[in-house]
Amino acid sequence: MDAKLTGPFGQMLLTPNGLKIGRAQDNQLVLQDVKASGHHAELKPWGQGFGIVDQGSTNGTYVNEQRLLPQQVRPLVNGDVIRIGDTTFSYSYPEARPVEATVYAAPPAGGLPPTALAPQPFADQAFTPPVATPPLYAAAPPQYPQYPQYPQLPNNYAGAPLNQGRPQRSGRRLWIILGSVLLGVVVLCGLLFVVVSLSKGGASPDNTLNAFCTDLQKPDAHAAYGELDPALQSRVPEPLFTQFFTKQPINSCTHGTPVENGNKATATVILTSPTQSAPLSLPMTLIKESDGSWKISDIQMSDTPSF
């Protein structure tokens, strides 16, 4: 009797070519089941009958309501129920015989003969004792010199006081700090004295006249006005001074060597201006201020009243 597959379509004889089942039109058994895949399962000859293989379907293939593993053959026996989606089939092959159990070989009923289990004697051979292997470290270990042992302190030894045997240095350190501070103050005062001395030493009638001439030629009447003594500034307002030298721009300004006489000095300043046909000769008197600087205290005009 041949193997058969029974379902909604009736009975179908299974051939050695197998049977492909699915919704695709190239299957031998085309299902109109929406839960079936295009190539859902395949029945193929296996052993004395047939087996079924799930082709990796989406909803799976069931045999006796047990889902099959994809791509693994599940042998079928007579009466197995196959379900694909909502479609059920029954497999019938009465002539198929169950697979017999594997028979394993057993030892003889009486067991192995005693001679097979008895140990075989060795051939007579002269006994050769093993050669003694020398130790890995044959030489004696090196002898290290013995260092003297220091006396052990008693367990209740508390130690000597921290300051025992040390001189008291707190007072000495204080004097060192004070001395360093005083030395720094002395050095700083010396530097200030040198700076002040240099600044005062640079003040002279000649330097004041040089600055006065430079300011007039820039022209910077305001800076030139700053070279005047406060007493002269009180007699000559700055606007008047600035107006005078603005109307007469200075092309050049020179002066003779100042003649010092104590806290006073005299010199003549020569000015040239494009508004004047001849140079202006201005005799000037300078006075030494209390801070050591020199200022112009009087200017004599040859053609105009003095400031």
Side-chain angles (χ1 to χ4, degrees):
M1 184 179 293
D2 296 326
K4 299 177 182 179
L5 188 67
T6 304
F9 50 83
Q11 283 189 347
M12 176 180 291
L13 291 178
L14 300 178
T15 65
N17 295 329
L19 180 67
K20 295 182 179 180
I21 306 172
R23 287 193 298 113
Q25 296 298 320
D26 58 349
N27 293 290
Q28 284 87 7
L29 179 56
V30 179
L31 300 180
Q32 303 297 325
D33 193 327
V34 295
K35 295 182 180 180
S37 299
H39 298 88
H40 198 105
E42 180 181 0
L43 274 74
K44 57 177 61 178
W46 190 264
Q48 296 181 0
F50 284 82
I52 186 170
V53 180
D54 182 85
Q55 300 293 335
S57 63
T58 302
N59 296 316
T61 303
Y62 294 82
V63 175
N64 300 330
E65 293 304 322
Q66 292 185 356
R67 184 166 182 168
L68 306 183
L69 295 175
Q71 307 300 336
Q72 294 190 15
V73 179
R74 199 286 195 181
L76 296 174
V77 296
N78 186 37
D80 281 344
V81 177
I82 303 169
R83 182 170 64 83
I84 297 177
D86 294 329
T87 307
T88 304
F89 311 93
S90 63
Y91 172 78
S92 59
Y93 190 30
E95 294 183 358
R97 294 180 300 174
V99 178
E100 297 180 356
T102 303
V103 178
Y104 296 92
L112 295 175
T115 56
L117 300 177
Q120 299 297 323
F122 293 100
D124 294 337
Q125 296 180 358
F127 175 74
T128 303
V131 179
T133 303
L136 183 60
Y137 298 99
Q143 298 295 327
Y144 296 99
Q146 297 294 327
Y147 294 98
Q149 298 293 330
Y150 293 97
Q152 298 292 330
L153 296 176
N155 295 332
N156 59 353
Y157 179 72
L162 294 178
N163 294 329
Q164 182 175 352
R166 296 183 180 179
Q168 299 294 331
R169 297 184 178 180
S170 58
R172 182 180 178 183
R173 291 179 180 176
L174 179 60
W175 282 109
I176 292 175
I177 294 174
L178 292 177
S180 300
V181 173
L182 292 176
L183 180 61
V185 172
V186 171
V187 172
L188 181 60
C189 292
L191 291 176
L192 292 176
F193 178 78
V194 171
V195 171
V196 172
S197 299
L198 291 176
S199 62
K200 290 185 177 181
S204 65
D206 189 71
N207 290 340
T208 300
L209 294 176
N210 288 337
F212 182 77
C213 285
T214 301
D215 295 335
L216 290 180
Q217 293 179 88
K218 285 184 179 181
D220 188 354
H222 174 74
Y225 186 78
E227 301 297 336
L228 304 184
D229 178 68
L232 181 58
Q233 289 180 352
S234 64
R235 292 188 288 114
V236 181
E238 183 175 357
L240 178 62
F241 180 88
T242 303
Q243 182 181 6
F244 178 82
F245 285 103
T246 301
K247 291 181 178 180
Q248 302 185 62
I250 305 302
N251 289 339
S252 66
C253 177
T254 59
H255 63 84
T257 302
V259 178
E260 296 186 33
N261 185 11
N263 292 334
K264 290 185 178 182
T266 56
T268 301
V269 176
I270 307 299
L271 303 177
T272 59
S273 173
T275 61
Q276 299 291 332
S277 58
L280 294 176
S281 179
L282 303 178
M284 294 187 180
T285 303
L286 294 90
I287 188 172
K288 189 175 184 180
E289 303 290 337
S290 59
D291 60 353
S293 62
W294 288 84
K295 295 293 183 180
I296 301 172
S297 62
D298 190 23
I299 301 177
Q300 296 292 331
M301 295 290 191
S302 59
D303 299 329
T304 60
S306 64
F307 288 133

